[in-house]
Amino acid sequence: MKLKQLEVFVAVADHKSFSRAAEALYLTQPTVSVYISSLEKELNAKLFVRNTKEIDVTEQGMKLYQYAREMLILQNRITELFASDSGKAKPRLVVAASTVPSRYLLPDILAGYKEKYPSGQLELRESDSARVIEDVANHVVDVGFTGTLIENKSCRYLPFYEDELVVIMPNTDRYRAILEQEKGLEWICREPLLMREEGSGTRKEAEKQLKLSGIDVGGLSIAASVESTETIKRSVKNGIGITIISSLAVREEIAAGSVLAFSMGKNRSTRKLYLVYNNSYALSRQAENLVKVVRELYPGCGAV
C-alpha cells in the first residue's frame, strides 16, 4: 500500500467524485480509477458505492478513511518539519466554513493570513454549519468557521464574532406600517417566511430566538427552505416573503433601502460565530497560525 493510493482515496471520499478528485490532484480520471481499483484489490474491500450522480463511501471505506486521513496529516507535518526555506514544500491548510462567516468574514481573515504567512496553500470549503462541524470532528479539515454550536466531544469552539439576526422584509407601504406599529414578533406568524435549509446555523439560531420570544415555530408559515443567502435576499426584495437573516449578510441592502429590517426583540438578538477545531489532534503549524490571525483581528476570540 502506497501513500499515493491513500491520498487519491481520501480525495475521492472528500469530493464524492472521481472527476473532481482528479482535478484536485492534477491527475486524469482513469488514473484515479486505477489507484482506487488497485487499493480495493489489495485490501480485498469495496471502498465506494458508485451512483449515477455521485459516490458514497462504504462502511469499510469509512474505517479506512480515518486512518488514511491521519497518515496524510502526519506526512504533511513531517514534510513541514523538515521543509527548507527554499519554498519547495507548500503545506496545505484546509478550512471549512458555513455561509455567513465564509462570505462576509473569511475574506479579511484569509487575506490577513496570506499576508503574514505567504508560503503554503489554502483550501476553502463552504457548506452548512452541521457539515462543517462534522468535517472538523472527522478530521477531514484542519479548522472550521460556523454560525452555531453543536455539541461534539471532539470539537473545541472559540467564539470570535457576535452577529445580530434581523427580520428583513420588502420595502413596501404595508411592511413600513408593520415596522412602525408592531413591537413584538407575533406578526411573523401571519407572513410567508423564507428559511435557510436544515443544518444551517442561521436557521438553528433563528428558531432558537423565536422560541425565546414565545413563538411556536411549528405554527410558522414557511413558504420555502432555501440554501442560498443571495436567493433569499432577492426573493424578499421581490416580495415573495420575509426572512430572518444575519445582519452581516444584508447590511448593504439595508443601507440602500432595498429591504426593511425589523429587530427581533427589545434586546438585540445576537449569536456568536465560532472558530472550531478538533481537540483530539495537535494543530498543524498552519492551523496555529490561522488561529493567531483570528485572535489578532478579533481580540475577544475565545472569550465566553
Side-chain angles (χ1 to χ4, degrees):
M1 186 188 311
K2 296 180 175 63
L3 276 172
K4 190 64 180 180
Q5 289 175 300
L6 297 180
E7 181 186 9
V8 172
F9 165 72
V10 168
V12 174
D14 286 347
H15 291 281
K16 294 185 179 297
S17 164
F18 278 66
S19 59
R20 291 195 295 269
E23 290 176 7
L25 296 173
Y26 301 100
L27 298 173
T28 64
Q29 186 170 335
T31 301
V32 169
S33 298
V34 168
Y35 273 117
I36 296 302
S37 296
S38 63
L39 185 59
E40 288 182 323
K41 184 176 181 181
E42 184 174 346
L43 296 176
N44 191 28
K46 188 175 180 62
L47 302 176
F48 296 107
V49 177
R50 290 134 172 108
N51 298 317
T52 53
K53 292 185 178 180
E54 60 179 29
I55 65 170
D56 293 317
V57 184
T58 64
E59 186 176 347
Q60 288 179 307
M62 284 306 300
K63 291 177 182 177
L64 173 63
Y65 181 88
Q66 302 301 326
Y67 290 110
R69 180 70 183 168
E70 289 178 34
M71 291 174 71
L72 293 175
I73 290 169
L74 286 173
Q75 180 196 30
N76 186 60
R77 289 178 184 167
I78 292 170
T79 301
E80 173 190 332
L81 183 64
F82 291 97
S84 66
D85 295 330
S86 63
K88 291 181 179 179
K90 293 188 176 181
R92 185 179 59 158
L93 175 64
V94 185
V95 178
S98 59
T99 305
V100 169
S102 174
R103 298 187 182 180
Y104 306 107
L105 295 177
L106 273 202
D108 288 341
I109 292 172
L110 297 184
Y113 174 83
K114 290 297 289 183
E115 182 179 356
K116 292 198 70 171
Y117 309 102
S119 64
Q121 297 177 333
L122 275 169
E123 180 181 334
L124 175 61
R125 303 177 184 180
E126 184 179 309
S127 58
D128 61 45
S129 290
R131 178 62 188 271
V132 170
I133 293 166
E134 180 184 344
D135 284 349
V136 171
N138 291 333
H139 215 202
V140 173
V141 300
D142 299 297
V143 176
F145 291 86
T146 178
T148 194
L149 188 155
I150 301 174
E151 290 297 333
N152 190 301
K153 63 181 181 180
S154 297
C155 295
R156 183 181 178 195
Y157 294 87
L158 299 179
F160 72 98
Y161 188 90
E162 192 169 68
D163 183 29
E164 182 178 3
L165 293 180
V166 294
V167 183
I168 63 166
M169 44 199 176
N171 192 349
T172 63
D173 290 341
R174 177 169 173 270
Y175 284 107
R176 281 194 291 273
I178 287 176
L179 188 61
E180 292 175 3
Q181 297 168 10
E182 298 289 347
K183 303 301 179 185
L185 293 173
E186 292 77 12
W187 63 275
I188 289 178
C189 298
R190 304 189 297 271
E191 301 296 322
L193 185 62
L194 305 170
M195 294 288 277
R196 286 289 305 280
E197 78 283 6
E198 294 288 346
S200 158
T202 298
R203 178 164 182 157
K204 290 180 184 296
E205 293 301 318
E207 291 177 347
K208 184 189 301 183
Q209 294 298 333
L210 288 171
K211 289 176 183 176
L212 290 174
S213 299
I215 304 296
D216 177 15
V217 176
L220 295 172
S221 177
I222 298 179
S225 295
V226 184
E227 290 188 6
S228 167
T229 300
E230 295 302 314
T231 300
I232 285 184
K233 290 193 294 183
R234 287 196 297 270
S235 299
V236 171
K237 285 190 282 188
N238 290 335
I240 295 175
I242 66 173
T243 193
I244 300 170
I245 195 169
S246 159
S247 60
L248 271 173
V250 78
R251 56 190 173 187
E252 292 182 4
E253 288 81 2
I254 293 173
S258 58
V259 297
L260 302 173
F262 189 96
S263 173
M264 287 192 67
K266 294 179 180 178
N267 300 319
R268 290 170 60 245
S269 177
T270 60
R271 59 155 178 181
K272 295 184 187 300
L273 301 181
Y274 299 92
L275 183 156
V276 55
Y277 60 87
N278 193 312
N279 59 17
S280 299
Y281 299 87
L283 284 173
S284 67
R285 186 183 303 170
Q286 288 72 38
E288 287 180 348
N289 289 339
L290 182 63
V291 173
K292 287 179 185 177
V293 169
V294 174
R295 289 186 183 277
E296 290 170 3
L297 288 173
Y298 304 96
C301 178
V304 179

